[in-house]
Amino acid sequence: MATQTGLSFVPGSLVRARGREWVVLPGGDAGLVLLRPLGGTDDEIAGVLPALEPVEPATFPPPDATDLGDAASARLLRSALRLGFRSSGGPFRSLAGLAVTPRSYQLVPLLMALRMDTVRLLIADGVGIGKTIEAGLIVTELLAQGSATRFTVLCSPALAQQWKAELTEKFALDATLVLASTAGRLERTLPAGESLFEHHPYTIVSTDFIKAARRRDEFLRACPDLVVVDEAHTCVAADDGRTGALSQQRQALLTSLAADPDRHLLLMTATPHSGKTSAFRALLALLDPALADLPQDLSGPARRRDRERIARHLVQRQRADIRAYLDEATSFPNRLTAEENYRLTPTYRALFDDVLAYARDSVHDTRGGAVAQRVRWWSVLALLRALASSPAAAVATLLNRSGVADADSVAEADTLGQAGVLDPADASATDGADTSPGAQLDPVRTRLLAMAVSGEKLKGKAGDAKLAKGLKIVKELLDGGDAVVVFCRYIATADYLAAALRAEKGFADVEVEAVTGQQPPDDRALRVAGLAARSAGTNRRVLVATDCLSEGINLQEHFTAVVHYDLSWNPTRHEQREGRVDRFGQTAPEVKAVTYFGADNPIDSLVLDVLLRRHEVIRRDTGVSVPVPADSDLVLSAVLEGLLAANAAPDQLELAGIGEAARADLLATWQSAAEREKRSRTLYAQEQVRPEEVGREVQAIRGSLGGPAEVAEFALATLAALRAPAHRDGEHYLAPTAGLPPALRTQLGVGGELRLARTLPAPPAAAVLTRTDPTMEALARYVLDTALDPVGVDEADRPARRCGVMVTDAAQVRTILLLVRYRLHLTLPGRTGPRTQVAEEARIVGFTGTPAAPTWLDDDQAAAQLAARPVANYPRDLAAADLRRLTSRLDGLAGHLADVGAQLAADLLTSHRRVREAAGSTGNLVRRGLTVTAQRPADILGVYLHLPAGHA
């Protein structure tokens, strides 16, 4: 607390320095006072030395009765004031600074987090529900409350750009990307002796970048106090002996991070089990080591306390749990699935038979020992899969050297082969996995080159029935009004299909783009955005992509249909593909998903029967999308080996009986996992966080800060009052800026027309009608500043005034409205002691009668008066006289306004306690030191007199 000649400056008090009014902030000392301009932002905070320059107590001046505004003044000034708030006095301090309005169910993880001293939480909500928003809410709140000062998001490189965009656009958090491609440049600009993670407080770090020992050690030393781990199931190792070295490295890193008891840790995954119970236990152990020792089956009364222990740290819900939460319906589209098939042309069939015969010869060849046999096995499997994809992928595979040719052991051959042929669920495995794997082995080069010549001749609709039918499927979807994403396994197939779409008759008005692993992640996002921009106003667009887009870039804003041109050999990957389009934020009532396969292709039939159809049945029966068990790769390999070992003629291949025992074991394991997942959903849907708990907080937040409708009304009314009326232009508004005051036009930095988008995403250079958009901030600041400090501003350039008189049907008797600003002094509990903060709240207070004998309105009555509209004019001289008498008597209201402030502080204190003390709290600091007080006196910003119509 700073002092000056006996004066003390209490946080929240009003002072005058440097020719203006400031609010005193916590954090100063005897020689320094921290100040924020009254109505200003945190960017304008200044430190002042009272010994060197004067700092004096100040009071807020009353309104000038002669400075009269029109009927809209009160609403504009109130909105400008509320939109300028960047933190509220309630338990969710950060929500005022968000560009997104969270759904009520998305606040449940935040409620759970605020009940913990150190946040250790696993957010396991289903695909497309909004886990990124839920995590972002927790991050921003911990930063706003001072419980965290820095954060890192650990994710795969493919997800990094998406995370950066989400944090920037929705949460106003500018995080630095720390990737293998950016780290060198970032390190070259570091001050001497400072770590990259110390210099950049907010970072998004690639798990690939951090896996090196040197990087890992540096990160552990300088790691922030808050870490978010995306796709956390890929960062723990199962005890099945098949876990890759990368997962083991990641688990070692997370275990070291979790060892710090004061570090906040948020884990995110839609598949917490991933079919591996031991891996799920490893995730839980990061949150609380004691949870690793719990039994698999936690059902029944005897295990209630164990379930409650886990439920403190785990939230897991599916769409059925949150479609209707409170009185708020969350719309998810209906997913319409269909299967389409094709049959090989005779010439394609002939090549397939040649390849299959070659494959059988190769796997029966015993030369070179076990390693050579395994190399041949994976090489021919790669060739079969590429041939099923497209002639282009087959030719590329036939001409490229086998990716497993240099393996030195059976284990190495299996590791390389699985990465290039199978479809692991690990998001980090999608990058680079879409290149053609290669099948060339030196002893059989001539035979493969001959088959490559045959494959080259099959390109085009005449030889490739899959392409011909695929073009028809895409056209039917486009003609039905859908924008289409087509997923392929290989780059060669994606490029081949995209070229065919561009050349096809009937596609002249269709925009086509191909996005594959050939482009870096940043370029992929730009290509998708460019495709959407080129086809704006229509759905005539097709995105052809490999699985590099099955995670990372959300596509629900631009697409409504998914075609699986190539079957994935992992059902989870199929679900992830469809989840790019079928997710929260999709505005179409229905999305379509087409599974496309070869009716006479035994590989496709195998994958469909053993994996994909079974996955869909389990999903429909249990309501849960369950990952395929860990042994599915082994089962798939065993069945394929049986297929290649069969003696039947190529055109008489039957799958029945091949690997039946292995398939039966897989099904039993999968069904068991599904039942466990269904029970888990019941146990951890956080039903103990009662909807009415969330409802009270949601209502309080929206009442305090206003919603998107208020932002839009304010912006449009302000622009109209300043000679820049906006008009609708499709989904946006356009406002001419020539008539705006020059000072405001300079602040906005626009010329010609200002484009306003109603919601994110917005086109380039467009402002968004959200409270955190820089254009909205500039408008609110301009309206507030010109109302409070009119010196040097033309009358026509001031849309809001602090006084007004209105004749209205809404008033039956003489009614006075006061716009009051309260500065609140908050002391919040923390692990290292109480933290002091200052917040602001705005209230409309109304009464009838006189200041000496007022009859106070309730909140609903005051809100009704605020919405009143004029019905007649009132002479300006009479209005000024009435207001002069009224404003001269405002001191008599100070006692009631102080009571309103005290009640506001008490209500906020109750809200803070309710959030922290509700059932499930894990800490003992939830009450100690928690206080909320209102600074006196309150600031009366506006006085507005409403007269009944008969008075005119």
Side-chain angles (χ1 to χ4, degrees):
M1 180 182 299
T3 62
Q4 177 188 10
T5 62
L7 297 176
S8 63
F9 301 114
V10 178
S13 60
L14 195 64
V15 298
R16 183 169 183 81
R18 300 178 182 177
R20 64 187 302 186
E21 277 71 38
W22 305 73
V23 176
V24 179
L25 299 179
D29 55 34
L32 176 71
V33 59
L34 294 181
L35 303 175
R36 183 182 65 208
L38 186 61
T41 67
D42 288 346
D43 293 336
E44 300 171 278
I45 291 175
V48 177
L49 298 171
L52 299 180
E53 52 184 319
V55 181
E56 302 172 348
T59 57
F60 195 75
D64 181 355
T66 63
D67 187 26
L68 297 174
D70 61 17
S73 284
R75 291 190 300 277
L76 281 180
L77 189 56
R78 174 178 180 259
S79 293
L81 180 63
R82 281 153 55 104
L83 294 179
F85 294 158
R86 283 298 167 264
S87 62
S88 72
F92 303 138
R93 302 214 62 217
S94 64
L95 296 193
L98 304 185
V100 60
T101 302
R103 312 296 290 180
S104 298
Y105 72 84
Q106 291 173 328
L107 294 174
V108 170
L110 177 57
L111 277 170
M112 295 173 63
L114 293 182
R115 295 169 183 174
M116 301 177 181
D117 300 336
T118 300
V119 178
R120 294 290 172 96
L121 197 59
L122 172 56
I123 303 176
D125 287 342
V127 173
I129 284 179
K131 291 186 295 297
T132 304
I133 290 177
E134 292 170 345
L137 290 172
I138 296 173
V139 170
T140 51
E141 188 61 31
L142 293 179
L143 293 173
Q145 295 196 8
S147 181
T149 57
R150 298 180 294 137
F151 75 84
T152 283
V153 176
L154 290 176
C155 63
S156 77
L159 302 177
Q161 191 61 48
Q162 178 77 11
W163 264 103
K164 180 173 176 61
E166 290 282 306
L167 291 175
T168 301
E169 293 176 1
K170 293 184 171 68
F171 301 99
L173 294 173
D174 186 13
T176 302
L177 286 175
V178 183
L179 312 174
S181 58
T182 65
R185 172 177 53 82
L186 293 172
E187 289 175 328
R188 285 192 294 272
T189 62
L190 289 177
E194 193 170 20
S195 164
L196 191 156
F197 305 103
E198 294 167 329
H199 186 72
H200 299 279
Y202 307 156
T203 53
I204 299 168
V205 181
S206 160
T207 47
D208 280 0
F209 168 81
I210 210 71
K211 67 185 179 184
R214 180 177 70 85
R215 302 291 191 185
R216 186 167 63 250
D217 293 344
E218 178 195 0
F219 181 67
L220 286 172
R221 181 187 63 79
C223 182
D225 47 7
L226 169 57
V227 175
V228 181
V229 184
D230 199 7
E231 299 298 329
H233 63 277
T234 68
C235 298
V236 290
D239 56 6
D240 56 7
R242 303 179 62 239
T243 303
L246 186 56
S247 291
Q248 294 174 354
Q249 291 173 348
R250 293 173 182 168
Q251 182 169 346
L253 172 64
L254 292 190
T255 300
S256 298
L257 293 175
D260 182 347
D262 293 328
R263 176 168 288 118
H264 302 296
L265 189 60
L266 286 180
L267 307 180
M268 299 169 57
T269 174
T271 53
H273 290 82
S274 295
K276 307 172 186 178
T277 300
S278 58
F280 177 58
R281 297 296 175 194
L283 276 178
L284 294 180
L286 295 172
L287 307 172
D288 180 353
L291 298 179
D293 300 326
L294 296 179
Q296 289 190 25
D297 188 358
L298 295 174
S299 59
R303 292 295 177 184
R304 179 177 63 84
R305 291 189 179 277
D306 291 335
R307 294 195 299 272
E308 290 174 351
R309 289 172 61 194
I310 296 178
R312 291 172 188 158
H313 301 278
L314 170 61
V315 56
Q316 182 179 27
R317 300 164 296 179
Q318 301 297 326
R319 294 183 182 186
D321 300 311
I322 50 86
R323 280 187 186 273
Y325 192 82
L326 298 173
D327 295 327
E328 186 177 62
T330 300
S331 177
F332 289 102
N334 292 322
R335 188 187 304 182
L336 305 180
T337 60
E339 290 185 358
E340 294 283 353
N341 65 72
Y342 64 94
R343 301 190 73 86
L344 299 172
T345 62
T347 50
Y348 211 121
R349 182 72 216 191
L351 178 58
F352 202 99
D353 293 346
D354 287 347
V355 170
L356 195 55
Y358 161 73
R360 286 178 174 160
D361 291 345
S362 296
V363 298
H364 292 154
D365 188 348
T366 60
R367 289 177 300 168
V371 175
Q373 281 186 289
R374 207 61 185 164
V375 166
R376 285 190 289 271
W377 154 248
W378 284 112
S379 299
V380 299
L381 192 55
L383 178 54
L384 285 169
R385 185 158 197 197
L387 184 60
S389 178
S390 70
V395 170
T397 301
L398 287 162
L399 295 179
N400 290 338
R401 179 173 172 79
S402 172
V404 295
D406 297 325
D408 294 325
S409 66
V410 171
E412 184 181 2
D414 285 346
T415 299
L416 295 172
Q418 289 169 4
V421 178
L422 303 181
D423 296 332
D426 184 347
S428 65
T430 58
D431 256 16
D434 51 3
T435 55
S436 299
Q440 274 283 359
L441 297 171
D442 293 337
V444 293
R445 179 176 176 82
T446 303
R447 187 174 181 182
L448 295 185
L449 289 176
M451 287 190 284
V453 172
S454 299
E456 191 69 40
K457 296 176 182 178
L458 294 175
K459 292 181 179 179
K461 291 192 295 182
D464 185 3
K466 180 180 182 180
L467 175 66
K469 179 72 174 287
L471 294 174
K472 291 181 180 179
I473 293 171
V474 173
K475 188 175 188 306
E476 289 173 1
L477 289 169
L478 289 169
D479 292 345
D482 288 298
V484 185
V485 185
V486 184
F487 279 104
C488 306
R489 178 61 176 82
Y490 297 113
I491 295 171
T493 300
D495 291 341
Y496 167 71
L497 177 58
L501 286 165
R502 295 187 184 103
E504 181 71 1
K505 292 181 180 179
F507 281 72
D509 63 337
V510 178
E511 290 289 341
V512 178
E513 185 62 84
V515 175
T516 68
Q518 282 183 318
Q519 300 104 28
D522 290 359
D523 287 356
R524 299 170 201 168
L526 291 174
R527 287 188 177 223
V528 173
L531 172 62
R534 295 196 305 273
S535 56
T538 176
N539 282 340
R540 306 285 287 178
R541 70 180 73 93
V542 179
L543 174 63
V544 184
T546 61
D547 282 317
C548 71
L549 282 195
S550 64
E551 294 193 80
I553 299 178
N554 294 334
L555 304 173
Q556 74 274 16
E557 291 157 355
H558 307 304
F559 300 93
T560 56
V562 170
V563 176
H564 302 282
Y565 191 80
D566 290 332
L567 300 182
S568 173
W569 286 11
N570 187 325
T572 299
R573 180 72 66 213
H574 258 236
E575 181 72 19
Q576 289 166 339
R577 290 174 173 181
E578 294 170 10
R580 293 302 93 203
V581 171
D582 181 9
R583 63 191 298 110
F584 175 70
Q586 172 61 260
T587 57
E590 296 176 340
V591 296
K592 300 182 179 68
V594 179
T595 299
Y596 188 38
F597 65 96
D600 53 353
N601 180 340
I603 308 296
D604 278 1
S605 298
L606 169 68
V607 173
L608 270 173
D609 290 340
V610 176
L611 297 178
L612 299 182
R613 286 174 179 150
R614 174 51 51 188
H615 177 268
E616 181 64 15
V617 168
I618 290 176
R619 188 179 72 85
R620 289 177 178 173
D621 287 349
T622 65
V624 181
S625 182
V626 182
V628 66
D631 292 337
S632 63
D633 291 351
L634 297 178
V635 173
L636 187 60
S637 297
V639 176
L640 286 168
E641 287 186 29
L643 173 66
L644 293 176
N647 293 321
D651 59 348
Q652 296 176 344
L653 286 173
E654 295 289 343
L655 288 174
I658 298 177
E660 287 291 353
R663 279 195 256 179
D665 288 344
L666 173 66
L667 178 57
T669 304
W670 204 348
Q671 194 68 44
S672 175
E675 293 304 321
R676 285 198 306 271
E677 191 79 3
K678 188 176 182 180
R679 287 197 302 271
S680 176
R681 169 184 158 186
T682 302
L683 297 175
Y684 309 120
Q686 290 301 326
E687 294 177 357
Q688 82 274 16
V689 179
R690 297 181 298 275
E692 59 269 22
E693 278 184 55
V694 182
R696 282 193 297 264
E697 310 311 328
V698 171
Q699 185 175 5
I701 293 165
R702 293 175 180 170
S704 172
L705 301 177
E710 182 176 346
V711 179
E713 181 182 1
F714 167 78
L716 297 177
T718 298
L719 290 171
L722 294 174
R723 305 169 299 280
H727 62 275
R728 289 294 294 269
D729 180 44
E731 294 296 314
H732 305 133
Y733 293 97
L734 282 179
T737 62
L740 289 174
L744 177 59
R745 196 164 59 243
T746 300
Q747 291 178 39
L748 297 180
V750 295
E753 289 187 313
L754 173 64
R755 181 175 292 275
L756 302 171
R758 289 183 292 177
T759 59
L760 292 168
V768 186
L769 293 171
T770 59
R771 58 183 299 119
T772 56
D773 182 85
T775 296
M776 299 304 107
E777 291 180 348
L779 287 176
R781 171 62 61 82
Y782 180 85
V783 170
L784 187 62
D785 285 351
T786 56
L788 300 183
D789 186 10
V791 177
V793 184
D794 291 343
E795 290 292 306
D797 292 345
R798 298 177 59 221
R801 308 295 171 90
R802 296 181 63 192
C803 286
V805 177
M806 182 199 307
V807 178
T808 176
D809 286 336
Q812 304 305 311
V813 296
R814 179 186 176 94
T815 304
I816 296 93
L817 293 183
L818 305 177
L819 175 58
V820 185
R821 173 173 55 196
Y822 289 96
R823 295 188 301 281
L824 299 161
H825 185 194
L826 288 82
T827 303
L828 303 177
R831 295 172 297 181
T832 59
R835 303 185 304 275
T836 302
Q837 298 183 343
V838 173
E840 294 176 319
E841 296 274 343
R843 289 293 184 270
I844 291 289
V845 180
F847 65 92
T848 60
T850 68
T855 300
W856 294 98
L857 306 183
D858 62 29
D859 289 344
D860 291 339
Q861 291 171 326
Q865 289 297 315
L866 187 65
R869 295 294 187 269
V871 296
N873 293 324
Y874 192 66
R876 185 178 181 87
D877 57 340
L878 294 181
D882 285 345
L883 284 169
R884 192 176 297 111
R885 286 190 294 272
L886 183 58
T887 56
S888 67
R889 302 172 184 172
L890 291 179
D891 289 346
L893 304 175
H896 179 79
L897 296 183
D899 291 342
V900 172
Q903 186 59 53
L904 171 61
D907 291 343
L908 292 173
L909 180 61
T910 299
S911 183
H912 278 275
R913 284 177 171 166
R914 186 165 56 233
V915 167
R916 287 167 171 78
E917 294 177 347
S921 175
T922 61
N924 58 6
L925 295 175
V926 293
R927 290 187 299 270
R928 188 167 68 234
L930 177 60
T931 64
V932 183
T933 57
Q935 188 75 29
R936 298 186 184 187
D939 300 331
I940 300 177
L941 269 69
V943 179
Y944 304 94
L945 174 61
H946 289 188
L947 301 174
H951 194 92

